Amino acid sequence: MLVGYIRASFDDGRETTATQRDALIAAGVDPKHVFEEPSSPASDGRIALEKCLAILEPGDSLVVWRLDRLGRSMPDLLRTIEDLRRREVGFRSLVEKIDAGTTHGDALFDVFGALSRCERTISRERILTAVAAIGRKDRRGGRPTAIDPRTMEAVLDALDKGVGKTEVCRSFRIARSTLYETLERIGWNRRHG
């Protein structure tokens, strides 16, 4: 069975999902099996995607219009693709003409995975260097950091594993503004996790 997932990028109506829906249906996805996320929610949750992934069974294929519809970052996308592979579910992206069930598609995702791991390693090194510098600054005086380096490392681990910022704030009992300010100061952004 082909199952489709579509997602708009903007909350303000500047992007509709009609083009995506038409492309999925033209590719053979039954309109009853198209899951639509009407816009990028303010929270990190994507309910339609969760429902879509839950119904997929071995032998089914998930079809998206473009890769960026499925993942908000390369690590996020690759985690989803790897989960589909483990579950023996196929994956197709129409615009990029990628079919993860083919030799070329599998090879491409292996390359993407290697690049993503490299990006995470480099980013992690930069972030840990920045966290260490912040810790050294605290010992020299000045305004102390709001999040100590050890807690910050745990926060970064959680964010790298895909935990949403709201959940991180709740789990580590950090004010949302404090987390955002600290992430900005050390140069972390969504591309890193």
Side-chain angles (χ1 to χ4, degrees), residues 22 48-49 53 71 80 140 149 165:
D22 292 346
L49 179 60
L53 294 174
T80 303
R140 289 191 307 237
K165 291 177 185 172

Side-chain angles (χ1 to χ4, degrees), residues 81-159:
I81 299 295
E82 190 54 40
D83 178 59
L84 294 172
R85 280 182 175 176
R86 273 194 305 274
R87 294 170 49 199
E88 298 178 9
V89 172
F91 172 74
R92 288 174 48 201
S93 176
L94 302 177
V95 171
E96 291 88 1
K97 296 179 176 46
I98 294 174
D99 186 341
T102 66
T103 304
H104 295 303
D106 275 346
L108 183 61
F109 278 102
D110 288 342
V111 170
F112 283 172
L115 291 173
S116 178
R117 285 188 298 277
C118 181
E119 177 189 9
R120 280 194 308 263
T121 300
I122 291 168
S123 297
R124 185 133 192 92
E125 287 172 3
R126 285 184 192 143
I127 290 168
L128 290 176
T129 300
V131 168
I134 290 169
R136 284 191 303 273
K137 180 182 175 193
D138 285 348
R139 284 190 285 279
R140 289 191 307 237
R143 182 177 171 205
T145 57
I147 306 172
D148 68 83
R150 184 173 289 159
T151 301
M152 194 64 209
E153 190 168 342
V155 165
L156 294 172
D157 281 338
L159 291 169

Side-chain angles (χ1 to χ4, degrees), residues 11 37 52 143 166:
D11 293 339
E37 209 80 68
C52 174
R143 182 177 171 205
T166 302

